[in-house]
Amino acid sequence: MLLATAEGWRHSVLTVEGGMLCGRLSDVPADADPAEARTAAATMVMWLARHFHETEVEVTWDPPREPWSWTGQVTPATNNSTTALNL
């Protein structure tokens, strides 16, 4: 999940196992374009998957249900057999 706040772009990543990683996109200014924030969040998730799970993933964003809030899906990259994660 990605959420725009006055302080900056916040993210929460939920795993299939029930874990959660929350924080702020520190390199993305609060007034950044939503596309820039989504790209930064996806890049972070792809790096985490590669670094901690040695797997490649793809991030797709659902249409926003509320203004300035996005939910995405993290799935194994093509030809990758790892279980999907929820973002």
Side-chain angles (χ1 to χ4, degrees):
M1 175 173 275
L2 183 63
L3 176 66
T5 69
E7 295 80 31
W9 290 91
R10 306 287 305 175
H11 62 78
S12 294
V13 179
L14 306 174
T15 67
V16 173
E17 296 85 16
M20 182 182 297
L21 170 69
C22 298
R24 186 173 72 85
L25 296 175
S26 60
D27 294 341
V28 180
D31 63 349
D33 182 76
E36 180 182 349
R38 287 191 306 268
T39 298
T43 299
M44 176 195 68
V45 170
M46 290 185 289
W47 182 87
L48 290 169
R50 190 176 306 118
H51 183 76
F52 289 102
H53 302 287
E54 298 179 356
T55 190
E56 299 295 322
V57 297
E58 297 173 347
V59 178
T60 56
W61 296 98
D62 299 330
R65 295 182 198 171
E66 300 176 19
W68 302 102
S69 175
W70 289 264
T71 302
Q73 295 293 318
V74 179
T75 56
T78 307
N79 298 325
N80 195 337
S81 62
T82 305
T83 305
L85 305 172
N86 292 319
L87 172 67

